[in-house]
Amino acid sequence: MKLKLFDGTSLKRLAILALVIVSVLIFGWSLMVWMPGESYHQALPPLSAKEIELQIQLKRDVNALASTIGRRNSDNYQNLVAAQQFLDRELTQVGYKVREQKYTVEGKIYSNLEVEIPGSSLSEQILVIGGHYDSAFTSPGANDNATGAAAVLALAREFVGTKPQRTLRFVEFTNEEPPFFWTKNMGSLVYAQAAKERGDRIVGMFSLETLGYFTDTANSQKYPPPLSWLYPSQGNFIGLISDLDSRELLRNTIRSFRAQAKFPSEGAALPSAIEGVGWSDHWSFWQQGYQALMITDTAPFRYPHYHTWADTADKIDFEKLARVTSGISKVVRDFVGLAE
């Protein structure tokens, strides 16, 4: 007797089931990796006069943090305090009243620094732009994350005296790096928890993390699997990354960036469990239910000097860092309701 494994009806059902599974997988991936607009792929235009000045500012501030001060963390506590004082002084000099959020760990005082521009018609809605100013134990931290701290400082300078519709906050976070990373003493988590307890309505948070290394070298860009199938192999773009709950914020942000900034960009909203997705201060805001994203050159997935002694200012492409920071400023203007 011939064994009939599948009749016509069974095969039809299997085909439909396979189609459903494939459709779900495709739809799921489209939710994660589809981004509006197109990445910029033409030759980069000359820097504007404003961007040239921004490049000079960024280079000066990264050198102050990474070269003059150097390693800044709990093992190099006086340097961490020096970095905090430098940022406080720079923010104060342009007219801000700096709010210092202090907390103590094992007898040492650590500080987040916040400045705020109150909104008008939408003042209860808050956009936070933040980056950490500490470095890893094994590194002077030029790219990770003097570039991010300097970009936050540069943006704060640009927006001083403006009148946005939404409230705008710039925050320099302490203690992002180990041993505080993803612990209760991570500076951004201390900040986000306090914001949640106050009932702050943070409608978006941009974490500026490791922004200054770019290369056109083939296969210089790595990814957690299976993302390498979907994204460029050259590390010459800026990345915008969020978890799935923040994908609306991410898409609006990358849409605005691509419409205004002439610089390559890639984006993905991914499960937070994927390696690297939550590796900065935006993670702290996710823990409190806020939408947040990271803007980054992808750090260890591209940068060969990540968390090493060689993470020095000479590795930074300050021209491209200025272009990225200028693009972020345009996105922020859109978000908070400011015309150019």
Side-chain angles (χ1 to χ4, degrees):
M1 184 175 77
K2 193 181 236 181
L3 184 62
K4 197 171 184 182
L5 294 176
F6 298 106
D7 58 20
T9 302
S10 297
L11 286 171
K12 185 176 180 181
R13 286 173 179 168
L14 281 173
I16 292 171
L17 178 59
L19 182 61
V20 168
I21 291 172
V22 169
S23 299
V24 168
L25 289 172
I26 292 172
F27 179 69
W29 273 108
S30 70
L31 282 177
M32 292 187 277
V33 303
W34 176 83
M35 293 294 136
E38 292 185 6
S39 177
Y40 186 80
H41 292 301
Q42 301 174 42
L44 298 178
L47 292 180
S48 66
K50 184 177 178 182
E51 288 170 335
I52 291 171
E53 178 58 31
L54 178 58
Q55 178 183 355
I56 294 168
Q57 285 183 358
L58 289 164
K59 187 171 185 177
R60 181 193 67 206
D61 294 338
V62 168
N63 271 298
L65 290 166
S67 305
T68 303
I69 296 172
R71 287 184 297 157
R72 45 204 187 277
N73 44 53
S74 58
D75 271 9
N76 298 271
Y77 179 71
Q78 291 306 316
N79 286 359
L80 186 66
V81 171
Q84 174 239 308
Q85 291 173 340
F86 166 76
L87 293 166
D88 192 320
R89 184 170 62 250
E90 291 295 317
L91 290 165
T92 300
Q93 284 178 353
V94 295
Y96 285 108
K97 182 177 181 180
V98 181
R99 291 197 287 253
E100 188 176 351
Q101 183 189 34
K102 298 181 180 181
Y103 64 101
T104 302
V105 183
E106 296 181 355
K108 293 178 180 177
I109 298 172
Y110 298 95
S111 299
N112 296 316
L113 304 176
E114 175 199 85
V115 298
E116 180 178 281
I117 303 173
S120 55
S121 58
L122 300 171
S123 60
E124 75 285 356
Q125 299 181 24
I126 302 164
L127 174 64
V128 175
I129 312 296
H132 69 92
Y133 63 88
D134 61 315
S135 73
F137 291 147
T138 53
S139 177
N143 199 24
D144 182 16
N145 187 39
T147 55
V152 172
L153 180 56
L155 292 166
R157 289 191 188 108
E158 178 178 343
F159 284 88
V160 68
T162 60
K163 299 184 184 302
Q165 293 178 43
R166 286 175 164 145
T167 294
L168 185 53
R169 288 183 187 165
F170 299 97
V171 189
E172 301 280 8
F173 297 116
T174 191
N175 290 352
E176 187 267 358
E177 298 287 1
F180 303 107
F181 183 69
W182 284 8
T183 75
K184 66 179 181 180
N185 293 319
M186 187 174 175
S188 54
L189 185 58
V190 172
Y191 180 91
Q193 286 176 332
K196 191 68 173 181
E197 289 168 5
R198 288 192 303 265
D200 291 359
R201 189 180 169 194
I202 296 173
V203 294
M205 185 272 175
F206 297 166
S207 173
L208 309 189
E209 173 66 59
T210 314
L211 296 172
Y213 184 77
F214 302 91
T215 175
D216 292 321
T217 302
N219 301 316
S220 55
Q221 183 66 55
K222 310 301 180 186
Y223 304 90
L227 299 178
S228 57
W229 302 340
L230 303 168
Y231 290 99
S233 62
Q234 293 174 301
N236 57 6
F237 60 88
I238 195 68
L240 291 86
I241 301 162
S242 78
D243 65 353
L244 295 175
D245 289 341
S246 302
R247 63 181 176 269
E248 181 179 357
L249 172 68
L250 174 66
R251 286 185 178 143
N252 289 336
T253 301
I254 203 167
R255 179 186 290 111
S256 177
F257 187 91
R258 287 176 168 178
Q260 301 179 86
K262 291 181 170 58
F263 196 83
S265 59
E266 299 292 340
L270 300 167
S272 58
I274 291 179
E275 183 183 16
V277 172
W279 285 2
S280 192
D281 296 299
H282 55 302
W283 173 89
S284 299
F285 289 78
W286 294 345
Q287 308 315 301
Q288 304 305 313
Y290 293 125
Q291 289 200 18
L293 59 85
M294 173 171 56
I295 304 176
T296 181
D297 66 13
T298 74
F301 297 101
R302 175 189 308 174
Y303 188 46
H305 312 295
Y306 178 75
H307 280 195
T308 73
W309 295 101
D311 182 10
T312 49
D314 59 298
K315 310 301 192 309
I316 307 306
D317 188 327
F318 286 100
E319 178 184 327
K320 290 181 178 176
L321 176 59
R323 294 179 189 275
V324 169
T325 306
S326 177
I328 295 169
S329 75
K330 292 178 173 66
V331 172
V332 172
R333 283 183 177 274
D334 268 0
F335 198 101
V336 300
L338 273 172
E340 279 282 0

mmCIF file with all atom_site columns, all heavy atoms in Angstrom, residues 205-221:
data_model
loop_
_atom_site.group_PDB
_atom_site.id
_atom_site.type_symbol
_atom_site.label_atom_id
_atom_site.label_alt_id
_atom_site.label_comp_id
_atom_site.label_asym_id
_atom_site.label_entity_id
_atom_site.label_seq_id
_atom_site.pdbx_PDB_ins_code
_atom_site.Cartn_x
_atom_site.Cartn_y
_atom_site.Cartn_z
_atom_site.occupancy
_atom_site.B_iso_or_equiv
_atom_site.pdbx_formal_charge
_atom_site.auth_seq_id
_atom_site.auth_comp_id
_atom_site.auth_asym_id
_atom_site.auth_atom_id
_atom_site.pdbx_PDB_model_num
ATOM 1   N N   . MET A 1 205 ? 14.237 61.442 24.095 1.00 0.00 ? 205 MET A N   1
ATOM 2   C CA  . MET A 1 205 ? 15.597 61.597 24.615 1.00 0.00 ? 205 MET A CA  1
ATOM 3   C C   . MET A 1 205 ? 16.572 61.138 23.545 1.00 0.00 ? 205 MET A C   1
ATOM 4   O O   . MET A 1 205 ? 16.416 60.052 22.972 1.00 0.00 ? 205 MET A O   1
ATOM 5   C CB  . MET A 1 205 ? 15.783 60.768 25.896 1.00 0.00 ? 205 MET A CB  1
ATOM 6   C CG  . MET A 1 205 ? 17.121 60.959 26.579 1.00 0.00 ? 205 MET A CG  1
ATOM 7   S SD  . MET A 1 205 ? 18.415 59.837 25.978 1.00 0.00 ? 205 MET A SD  1
ATOM 8   C CE  . MET A 1 205 ? 19.842 60.427 26.876 1.00 0.00 ? 205 MET A CE  1
ATOM 9   N N   . PHE A 1 206 ? 17.566 61.990 23.245 1.00 0.00 ? 206 PHE A N   1
ATOM 10  C CA  . PHE A 1 206 ? 18.633 61.646 22.308 1.00 0.00 ? 206 PHE A CA  1
ATOM 11  C C   . PHE A 1 206 ? 19.910 61.430 23.106 1.00 0.00 ? 206 PHE A C   1
ATOM 12  O O   . PHE A 1 206 ? 20.395 62.352 23.768 1.00 0.00 ? 206 PHE A O   1
ATOM 13  C CB  . PHE A 1 206 ? 18.883 62.771 21.298 1.00 0.00 ? 206 PHE A CB  1
ATOM 14  C CG  . PHE A 1 206 ? 17.730 63.103 20.392 1.00 0.00 ? 206 PHE A CG  1
ATOM 15  C CD1 . PHE A 1 206 ? 17.737 64.279 19.654 1.00 0.00 ? 206 PHE A CD1 1
ATOM 16  C CD2 . PHE A 1 206 ? 16.648 62.252 20.249 1.00 0.00 ? 206 PHE A CD2 1
ATOM 17  C CE1 . PHE A 1 206 ? 16.693 64.606 18.806 1.00 0.00 ? 206 PHE A CE1 1
ATOM 18  C CE2 . PHE A 1 206 ? 15.592 62.555 19.408 1.00 0.00 ? 206 PHE A CE2 1
ATOM 19  C CZ  . PHE A 1 206 ? 15.610 63.749 18.689 1.00 0.00 ? 206 PHE A CZ  1
ATOM 20  N N   . SER A 1 207 ? 20.450 60.234 23.045 1.00 0.00 ? 207 SER A N   1
ATOM 21  C CA  . SER A 1 207 ? 21.725 59.920 23.685 1.00 0.00 ? 207 SER A CA  1
ATOM 22  C C   . SER A 1 207 ? 22.831 60.055 22.641 1.00 0.00 ? 207 SER A C   1
ATOM 23  O O   . SER A 1 207 ? 22.855 59.320 21.648 1.00 0.00 ? 207 SER A O   1
ATOM 24  C CB  . SER A 1 207 ? 21.697 58.494 24.246 1.00 0.00 ? 207 SER A CB  1
ATOM 25  O OG  . SER A 1 207 ? 22.971 58.119 24.718 1.00 0.00 ? 207 SER A OG  1
ATOM 26  N N   . LEU A 1 208 ? 23.744 61.000 22.860 1.00 0.00 ? 208 LEU A N   1
ATOM 27  C CA  . LEU A 1 208 ? 24.843 61.237 21.927 1.00 0.00 ? 208 LEU A CA  1
ATOM 28  C C   . LEU A 1 208 ? 26.047 60.441 22.406 1.00 0.00 ? 208 LEU A C   1
ATOM 29  O O   . LEU A 1 208 ? 26.648 60.748 23.432 1.00 0.00 ? 208 LEU A O   1
ATOM 30  C CB  . LEU A 1 208 ? 25.162 62.732 21.842 1.00 0.00 ? 208 LEU A CB  1
ATOM 31  C CG  . LEU A 1 208 ? 23.966 63.660 21.568 1.00 0.00 ? 208 LEU A CG  1
ATOM 32  C CD1 . LEU A 1 208 ? 24.442 65.073 21.290 1.00 0.00 ? 208 LEU A CD1 1
ATOM 33  C CD2 . LEU A 1 208 ? 23.105 63.141 20.420 1.00 0.00 ? 208 LEU A CD2 1
ATOM 34  N N   . GLU A 1 209 ? 26.396 59.417 21.662 1.00 0.00 ? 209 GLU A N   1
ATOM 35  C CA  . GLU A 1 209 ? 27.349 58.409 22.135 1.00 0.00 ? 209 GLU A CA  1
ATOM 36  C C   . GLU A 1 209 ? 28.377 58.048 21.056 1.00 0.00 ? 209 GLU A C   1
ATOM 37  O O   . GLU A 1 209 ? 28.012 57.495 20.026 1.00 0.00 ? 209 GLU A O   1
ATOM 38  C CB  . GLU A 1 209 ? 26.588 57.141 22.560 1.00 0.00 ? 209 GLU A CB  1
ATOM 39  C CG  . GLU A 1 209 ? 27.441 55.956 22.910 1.00 0.00 ? 209 GLU A CG  1
ATOM 40  C CD  . GLU A 1 209 ? 28.289 56.167 24.148 1.00 0.00 ? 209 GLU A CD  1
ATOM 41  O OE1 . GLU A 1 209 ? 27.695 56.426 25.217 1.00 0.00 ? 209 GLU A OE1 1
ATOM 42  O OE2 . GLU A 1 209 ? 29.527 56.077 24.036 1.00 0.00 ? 209 GLU A OE2 1
ATOM 43  N N   . THR A 1 210 ? 29.650 58.403 21.295 1.00 0.00 ? 210 THR A N   1
ATOM 44  C CA  . THR A 1 210 ? 30.747 57.969 20.427 1.00 0.00 ? 210 THR A CA  1
ATOM 45  C C   . THR A 1 210 ? 30.451 58.364 18.978 1.00 0.00 ? 210 THR A C   1
ATOM 46  O O   . THR A 1 210 ? 30.058 57.544 18.161 1.00 0.00 ? 210 THR A O   1
ATOM 47  C CB  . THR A 1 210 ? 30.974 56.444 20.561 1.00 0.00 ? 210 THR A CB  1
ATOM 48  O OG1 . THR A 1 210 ? 30.976 56.095 21.949 1.00 0.00 ? 210 THR A OG1 1
ATOM 49  C CG2 . THR A 1 210 ? 32.292 56.028 19.959 1.00 0.00 ? 210 THR A CG2 1
ATOM 50  N N   . LEU A 1 211 ? 30.707 59.628 18.666 1.00 0.00 ? 211 LEU A N   1
ATOM 51  C CA  . LEU A 1 211 ? 30.197 60.230 17.432 1.00 0.00 ? 211 LEU A CA  1
ATOM 52  C C   . LEU A 1 211 ? 31.251 60.524 16.373 1.00 0.00 ? 211 LEU A C   1
ATOM 53  O O   . LEU A 1 211 ? 30.889 61.003 15.298 1.00 0.00 ? 211 LEU A O   1
ATOM 54  C CB  . LEU A 1 211 ? 29.510 61.574 17.765 1.00 0.00 ? 211 LEU A CB  1
ATOM 55  C CG  . LEU A 1 211 ? 28.263 61.549 18.635 1.00 0.00 ? 211 LEU A CG  1
ATOM 56  C CD1 . LEU A 1 211 ? 27.864 62.975 18.996 1.00 0.00 ? 211 LEU A CD1 1
ATOM 57  C CD2 . LEU A 1 211 ? 27.124 60.847 17.931 1.00 0.00 ? 211 LEU A CD2 1
ATOM 58  N N   . GLY A 1 212 ? 32.552 60.260 16.628 1.00 0.00 ? 212 GLY A N   1
ATOM 59  C CA  . GLY A 1 212 ? 33.549 60.917 15.810 1.00 0.00 ? 212 GLY A CA  1
ATOM 60  C C   . GLY A 1 212 ? 34.446 60.092 14.915 1.00 0.00 ? 212 GLY A C   1
ATOM 61  O O   . GLY A 1 212 ? 35.413 60.629 14.362 1.00 0.00 ? 212 GLY A O   1
ATOM 62  N N   . TYR A 1 213 ? 34.149 58.797 14.708 1.00 0.00 ? 213 TYR A N   1
ATOM 63  C CA  . TYR A 1 213 ? 35.047 57.984 13.890 1.00 0.00 ? 213 TYR A CA  1
ATOM 64  C C   . TYR A 1 213 ? 34.327 57.503 12.635 1.00 0.00 ? 213 TYR A C   1
ATOM 65  O O   . TYR A 1 213 ? 33.280 56.842 12.725 1.00 0.00 ? 213 TYR A O   1
ATOM 66  C CB  . TYR A 1 213 ? 35.572 56.781 14.675 1.00 0.00 ? 213 TYR A CB  1
ATOM 67  C CG  . TYR A 1 213 ? 36.580 55.956 13.908 1.00 0.00 ? 213 TYR A CG  1
ATOM 68  C CD1 . TYR A 1 213 ? 37.892 56.390 13.773 1.00 0.00 ? 213 TYR A CD1 1
ATOM 69  C CD2 . TYR A 1 213 ? 36.209 54.750 13.314 1.00 0.00 ? 213 TYR A CD2 1
ATOM 70  C CE1 . TYR A 1 213 ? 38.824 55.635 13.057 1.00 0.00 ? 213 TYR A CE1 1
ATOM 71  C CE2 . TYR A 1 213 ? 37.137 53.994 12.598 1.00 0.00 ? 213 TYR A CE2 1
ATOM 72  C CZ  . TYR A 1 213 ? 38.438 54.443 12.485 1.00 0.00 ? 213 TYR A CZ  1
ATOM 73  O OH  . TYR A 1 213 ? 39.356 53.697 11.781 1.00 0.00 ? 213 TYR A OH  1
ATOM 74  N N   . PHE A 1 214 ? 34.920 57.801 11.464 1.00 0.00 ? 214 PHE A N   1
ATOM 75  C CA  . PHE A 1 214 ? 34.322 57.423 10.183 1.00 0.00 ? 214 PHE A CA  1
ATOM 76  C C   . PHE A 1 214 ? 35.418 56.933 9.240  1.00 0.00 ? 214 PHE A C   1
ATOM 77  O O   . PHE A 1 214 ? 36.534 57.447 9.235  1.00 0.00 ? 214 PHE A O   1
ATOM 78  C CB  . PHE A 1 214 ? 33.601 58.624 9.554  1.00 0.00 ? 214 PHE A CB  1
ATOM 79  C CG  . PHE A 1 214 ? 32.531 59.196 10.443 1.00 0.00 ? 214 PHE A CG  1
ATOM 80  C CD1 . PHE A 1 214 ? 32.821 60.218 11.335 1.00 0.00 ? 214 PHE A CD1 1
ATOM 81  C CD2 . PHE A 1 214 ? 31.239 58.694 10.412 1.00 0.00 ? 214 PHE A CD2 1
ATOM 82  C CE1 . PHE A 1 214 ? 31.847 60.738 12.178 1.00 0.00 ? 214 PHE A CE1 1
ATOM 83  C CE2 . PHE A 1 214 ? 30.254 59.197 11.249 1.00 0.00 ? 214 PHE A CE2 1
ATOM 84  C CZ  . PHE A 1 214 ? 30.559 60.216 12.130 1.00 0.00 ? 214 PHE A CZ  1
ATOM 85  N N   . THR A 1 215 ? 35.101 55.925 8.446  1.00 0.00 ? 215 THR A N   1
ATOM 86  C CA  . THR A 1 215 ? 36.074 55.371 7.512  1.00 0.00 ? 215 THR A CA  1
ATOM 87  C C   . THR A 1 215 ? 35.367 54.812 6.287  1.00 0.00 ? 215 THR A C   1
ATOM 88  O O   . THR A 1 215 ? 34.272 54.251 6.389  1.00 0.00 ? 215 THR A O   1
ATOM 89  C CB  . THR A 1 215 ? 36.916 54.276 8.186  1.00 0.00 ? 215 THR A CB  1
ATOM 90  O OG1 . THR A 1 215 ? 37.775 53.684 7.202  1.00 0.00 ? 215 THR A OG1 1
ATOM 91  C CG2 . THR A 1 215 ? 36.051 53.187 8.804  1.00 0.00 ? 215 THR A CG2 1
ATOM 92  N N   . ASP A 1 216 ? 36.017 54.961 5.135  1.00 0.00 ? 216 ASP A N   1
ATOM 93  C CA  . ASP A 1 216 ? 35.505 54.385 3.889  1.00 0.00 ? 216 ASP A CA  1
ATOM 94  C C   . ASP A 1 216 ? 36.110 53.021 3.604  1.00 0.00 ? 216 ASP A C   1
ATOM 95  O O   . ASP A 1 216 ? 35.848 52.427 2.548  1.00 0.00 ? 216 ASP A O   1
ATOM 96  C CB  . ASP A 1 216 ? 35.810 55.323 2.718  1.00 0.00 ? 216 ASP A CB  1
ATOM 97  C CG  . ASP A 1 216 ? 35.021 56.614 2.793  1.00 0.00 ? 216 ASP A CG  1
ATOM 98  O OD1 . ASP A 1 216 ? 33.837 56.565 3.187  1.00 0.00 ? 216 ASP A OD1 1
ATOM 99  O OD2 . ASP A 1 216 ? 35.588 57.680 2.471  1.00 0.00 ? 216 ASP A OD2 1
ATOM 100 N N   . THR A 1 217 ? 36.903 52.492 4.505  1.00 0.00 ? 217 THR A N   1
ATOM 101 C CA  . THR A 1 217 ? 37.559 51.206 4.305  1.00 0.00 ? 217 THR A CA  1
ATOM 102 C C   . THR A 1 217 ? 36.526 50.087 4.162  1.00 0.00 ? 217 THR A C   1
ATOM 103 O O   . THR A 1 217 ? 35.558 50.027 4.929  1.00 0.00 ? 217 THR A O   1
ATOM 104 C CB  . THR A 1 217 ? 38.494 50.888 5.482  1.00 0.00 ? 217 THR A CB  1
ATOM 105 O OG1 . THR A 1 217 ? 39.454 51.934 5.595  1.00 0.00 ? 217 THR A OG1 1
ATOM 106 C CG2 . THR A 1 217 ? 39.210 49.567 5.279  1.00 0.00 ? 217 THR A CG2 1
ATOM 107 N N   . ALA A 1 218 ? 36.739 49.217 3.213  1.00 0.00 ? 218 ALA A N   1
ATOM 108 C CA  . ALA A 1 218 ? 35.822 48.092 2.991  1.00 0.00 ? 218 ALA A CA  1
ATOM 109 C C   . ALA A 1 218 ? 35.785 47.187 4.219  1.00 0.00 ? 218 ALA A C   1
ATOM 110 O O   . ALA A 1 218 ? 36.812 46.942 4.858  1.00 0.00 ? 218 ALA A O   1
ATOM 111 C CB  . ALA A 1 218 ? 36.264 47.293 1.773  1.00 0.00 ? 218 ALA A CB  1
ATOM 112 N N   . ASN A 1 219 ? 34.586 46.715 4.545  1.00 0.00 ? 219 ASN A N   1
ATOM 113 C CA  . ASN A 1 219 ? 34.359 45.785 5.663  1.00 0.00 ? 219 ASN A CA  1
ATOM 114 C C   . ASN A 1 219 ? 34.801 46.347 7.016  1.00 0.00 ? 219 ASN A C   1
ATOM 115 O O   . ASN A 1 219 ? 35.115 45.588 7.934  1.00 0.00 ? 219 ASN A O   1
ATOM 116 C CB  . ASN A 1 219 ? 35.068 44.452 5.394  1.00 0.00 ? 219 ASN A CB  1
ATOM 117 C CG  . ASN A 1 219 ? 34.589 43.789 4.126  1.00 0.00 ? 219 ASN A CG  1
ATOM 118 O OD1 . ASN A 1 219 ? 33.390 43.727 3.859  1.00 0.00 ? 219 ASN A OD1 1
ATOM 119 N ND2 . ASN A 1 219 ? 35.524 43.303 3.322  1.00 0.00 ? 219 ASN A ND2 1
ATOM 120 N N   . SER A 1 220 ? 34.813 47.657 7.130  1.00 0.00 ? 220 SER A N   1
ATOM 121 C CA  . SER A 1 220 ? 35.174 48.289 8.402  1.00 0.00 ? 220 SER A CA  1
ATOM 122 C C   . SER A 1 220 ? 34.013 48.322 9.382  1.00 0.00 ? 220 SER A C   1
ATOM 123 O O   . SER A 1 220 ? 34.219 48.514 10.579 1.00 0.00 ? 220 SER A O   1
ATOM 124 C CB  . SER A 1 220 ? 35.660 49.715 8.154  1.00 0.00 ? 220 SER A CB  1
ATOM 125 O OG  . SER A 1 220 ? 34.696 50.462 7.426  1.00 0.00 ? 220 SER A OG  1
ATOM 126 N N   . GLN A 1 221 ? 32.792 48.128 8.876  1.00 0.00 ? 221 GLN A N   1
ATOM 127 C CA  . GLN A 1 221 ? 31.613 48.193 9.729  1.00 0.00 ? 221 GLN A CA  1
ATOM 128 C C   . GLN A 1 221 ? 31.122 46.793 10.056 1.00 0.00 ? 221 GLN A C   1
ATOM 129 O O   . GLN A 1 221 ? 30.871 45.985 9.163  1.00 0.00 ? 221 GLN A O   1
ATOM 130 C CB  . GLN A 1 221 ? 30.495 48.977 9.040  1.00 0.00 ? 221 GLN A CB  1
ATOM 131 C CG  . GLN A 1 221 ? 29.245 49.158 9.866  1.00 0.00 ? 221 GLN A CG  1
ATOM 132 C CD  . GLN A 1 221 ? 29.476 50.020 11.089 1.00 0.00 ? 221 GLN A CD  1
ATOM 133 O OE1 . GLN A 1 221 ? 29.940 51.139 10.988 1.00 0.00 ? 221 GLN A OE1 1
ATOM 134 N NE2 . GLN A 1 221 ? 29.154 49.495 12.261 1.00 0.00 ? 221 GLN A NE2 1
#
